[in-house]
């Protein structure tokens, strides 16, 4: 930065230079061009003053910035303390291109209403514009490839977004809490929307993705309570758990592909009940149907039959045609591309199965229905791997082998002994830790 005294000294030197130049012109041209000389002197004096004024203004503006010169001779802005409402971040400082902004460099600005990001910046670091409460508009440069963690989190006045076609990734919580955000134009090259990226964007009503998107992260649009419609491209490969949790007004999904294409998509059902209950229209055929089976519907996976529970992302194990002696009740199953949690074993599920000798109950099973294993006379080993078992129905183990063992997690032994007490098993049946 040039101090005021240094600026005055430079101004004096320039005036001396102009005087010398005019003197030379006078000697060379004798007395034949007095008017011309006077005009030149006046013009040069005015231009010099204007240049000094402009230079001084630029230097004063740059005093609001703290920055450092990087090894590649470009500039990273590390902090900003100005009060501009329409902030245009400079493209150059000291005649060097601005290519980076430091984490949090422009966060918590009270007055800023619009921000223009310089074209040399290709990624936005964590929380760089977070909690700018009055920010309504952002102009992004073409060439921006990534928006980092929490970049605009808490910018509660931000109303709309037009993201550049160069953008590839939107990271964790990038726009979370942008409660005024109602309109987003997602670019054609966007590949990934990160975890909680648009969490609690409560004014958002419609989301349209372009071809190229392959993954929507966990909780990406969680609690976007006004979201009514989404449009998914054929390129989408995965929708993570809770991506649309709390989006209770979501009713319509337009999908660019066919039903068989949709079945190839990996959709984690957990926390995505609003999506599973919506109507999906296939772009290839125009046909509309429920995204997933409704509550109470029975669906099959291999030899097993399941029933859709109240939370349509959860299933209950109903029965099996498997004749094997060793049976495992999985705590998850994938059907038509939807990854369901298996939360329970229904009543009578294995009743009078005379072949089964061992059953393993996997990790997320919460309940076993009444008479579930009643009459399984050869069943002598039951392994409960679930840490979430809450209830076991009456006579669930009545008629199993009199010398059977029920093995449970060590940490749950005392609790599970209470849950399993008097469920029909004989007095010789042992409940032990594994």
């Amino acid at each position: 930065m040039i101090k005021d005294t240094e600026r005055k000294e430079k101004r004096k030197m320039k005036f001396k230079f102009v005087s010398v130049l005019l003197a030379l012109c006078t000697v060379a041209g004798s007395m034949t061009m007095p008017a011309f000389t006077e005009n030149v002197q006046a013009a040069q004096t005015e231009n010099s003053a204007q240049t000094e004024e402009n230079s001084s203004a630029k230097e004063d503006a740059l005093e609001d910035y703290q920055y450092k010169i990087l090894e590649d001779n470009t500039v990273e802005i590390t902090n900003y303390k100005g009060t501009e409402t329409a902030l245009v971040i400079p493209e150059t400082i000291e005649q060097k291109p601005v290519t980076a902004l430091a984490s949090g460099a422009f966060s918590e600005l009270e007055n800023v209403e619009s921000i223009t990001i310089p074209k040399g910046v290709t990624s936005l670091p964590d929380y760089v514009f977070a909690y700018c409460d009055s920010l309504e508009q952002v102009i992004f440069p073409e060439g921006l490839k990534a928006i980092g963690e929490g970049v605009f989190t808490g910018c509660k006045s931000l109303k709309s977004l037009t993201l550049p076609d160069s953008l590839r990734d939107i990271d964790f919580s990038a726009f979370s809490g942008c409660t005024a955000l109602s309109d987003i134009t997602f670019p054609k090259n966007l590949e990934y929307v990160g975890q909680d990226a648009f969490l609690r964007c409560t004014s958002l009503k419609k989301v349209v993705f372009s071809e190229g998107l392959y993954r929507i992260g966990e909780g990406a649009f969680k609690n976007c309570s006004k979201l009514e419609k989404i449009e998914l491209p054929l390129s989408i490969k995965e929708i993570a758990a809770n991506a649309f949790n709390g989006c209770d007004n979501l009713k319509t999904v337009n999908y660019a592909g066919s039903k068989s294409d949709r079945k190839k998509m990996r959709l984690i059902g957990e926390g995505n009940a609003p999506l599973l209950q919506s109507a999906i229209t296939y772009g290839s055929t125009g046909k509309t149907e429920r995204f997933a089976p409704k509550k109470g519907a029975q669906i099959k996976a291999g030899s097993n039959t399941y029933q859709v529970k109240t939370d349509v992302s959860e299933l209950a194990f109903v029965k099996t045609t498997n004749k094997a002696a060793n049976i495992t009740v999985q705590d998850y199953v994938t059907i038509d591309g939807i990854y369901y949690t298996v939360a329970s074993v229904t009543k009578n599920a294995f009743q009078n199965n005379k072949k089964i000798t061992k059953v393993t109950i996997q990790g997320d099973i919460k309940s076993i229905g009444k008479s579930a294993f009643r009459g399984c006379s050869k069943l002598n080993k039951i392994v409960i791997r679930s840490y979430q078992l809450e209830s076991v129905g009456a006579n669930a183990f009545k008629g199993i082998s009199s010398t059977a063992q029920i093995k449970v997690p060590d940490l749950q032994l005392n609790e599970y002994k209470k849950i399993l007490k008097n469920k029909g098993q004989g007095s010789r049946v042992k409940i032990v830790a594994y």
Side-chain angles (χ1 to χ4, degrees), residues 308-368:
V308 180
K309 301 191 72 173
T310 302
D311 180 343
V312 294
S313 68
E314 290 187 347
L315 302 178
F317 182 96
V318 175
K319 61 183 179 180
T320 184
T321 58
N322 189 346
K323 303 300 183 182
N326 188 344
I327 297 288
T328 298
V329 180
Q330 298 288 355
D331 54 355
Y332 69 91
V333 63
T334 301
I335 302 174
D336 291 341
I338 300 172
Y339 182 102
Y340 291 97
T341 299
V342 180
S344 62
V345 178
T346 63
K347 64 180 182 179
N348 307 322
F350 293 90
Q351 188 172 18
N352 295 323
N353 186 322
K354 304 301 182 182
K355 293 185 178 295
I356 188 171
T357 61
K358 178 183 176 182
V359 65
T360 301
I361 309 294
Q362 293 288 37
D364 284 333
I365 303 294
K366 297 176 183 178
S367 67
I368 299 172

Side-chain angles (χ1 to χ4, degrees), residues 34 58 79 128 137 148 150 184 211 217 261 269-270 276 300 307 322 344 375 392 401 406-407:
K58 288 181 180 179
N79 201 7
V128 63
Q137 182 185 30
I184 309 173
E211 188 65 25
D261 292 325
E270 180 185 352
L276 298 179
K300 290 186 175 182
Q307 186 174 48
N322 189 346
S344 62
V392 176
S401 171
I406 302 176
K407 294 188 174 184

Side-chain angles (χ1 to χ4, degrees), residues 373-392:
F373 297 95
R374 184 170 185 167
C376 298
S377 56
K378 293 183 179 180
L379 181 58
N380 63 7
K381 190 173 184 180
I382 301 158
V383 181
I384 298 176
R385 297 194 181 280
S386 173
Y387 285 81
Q388 302 186 52
L389 188 66
E390 298 170 354
S391 65
V392 176

Side-chain angles (χ1 to χ4, degrees), residues 123-287:
S123 66
L124 298 178
D126 299 350
Y127 300 95
V128 63
F129 300 112
Y131 303 106
C132 292
D133 290 348
S134 300
L135 181 62
E136 297 180 5
Q137 182 185 30
V138 181
I139 300 175
F140 297 93
E142 190 59 47
L144 183 70
K145 295 180 179 179
I147 296 177
E149 178 179 329
V151 168
F152 295 99
T153 191
C155 293
K156 60 186 180 181
S157 298
L158 189 60
K159 296 179 180 179
S160 64
L161 290 173
T162 300
L163 300 168
D165 286 340
S166 55
L167 187 66
R168 298 290 190 272
D169 296 333
I170 299 175
D171 208 342
F172 171 76
S173 198
F175 295 93
S176 65
C178 293
T179 53
L181 187 60
S182 60
D183 182 36
I184 309 173
T185 300
F186 284 105
K188 61 184 179 181
N189 292 311
L190 183 67
E191 298 175 350
Y192 173 65
V193 177
Q195 180 179 344
D196 296 342
F198 294 91
L199 173 69
R200 293 192 307 275
C201 290
T202 51
S203 296
L204 195 60
K205 292 185 177 182
K206 181 180 177 181
V207 173
V208 180
F209 293 107
S210 299
E211 188 65 25
L213 182 77
Y214 76 87
R215 187 175 191 272
I216 298 174
E218 183 172 351
F221 295 92
K222 185 177 181 180
N223 293 335
C224 292
S225 54
K226 292 185 179 179
L227 185 62
E228 298 174 351
K229 182 178 181 179
I230 61 174
E231 296 189 12
L232 297 173
L234 181 61
S235 59
I236 185 75
K237 301 300 181 187
E238 181 177 351
I239 298 176
N242 296 299
F244 296 96
N245 192 358
C247 300
D248 296 333
N249 284 307
L250 180 58
K251 305 299 180 186
T252 304
V253 177
N254 290 342
Y255 174 59
S258 64
K259 185 173 183 177
S260 60
D261 292 325
R262 208 280 302 151
K263 289 180 180 180
K264 298 174 186 176
M265 182 196 311
R266 185 172 187 263
L267 195 164
I268 309 300
E270 180 185 352
N272 280 319
L275 180 64
L276 298 179
Q277 293 178 105
S278 65
I280 183 170
T281 299
Y282 300 105
S284 60
T285 62
K287 182 180 178 181

Side-chain angles (χ1 to χ4, degrees), residues 69-70 72-75 90-99:
I69 309 299
L70 303 177
D72 62 356
N73 210 33
T74 64
V75 173
E91 293 190 353
T92 61
I93 293 178
E94 294 186 17
Q95 298 182 333
K96 297 175 176 63
V98 174
T99 59

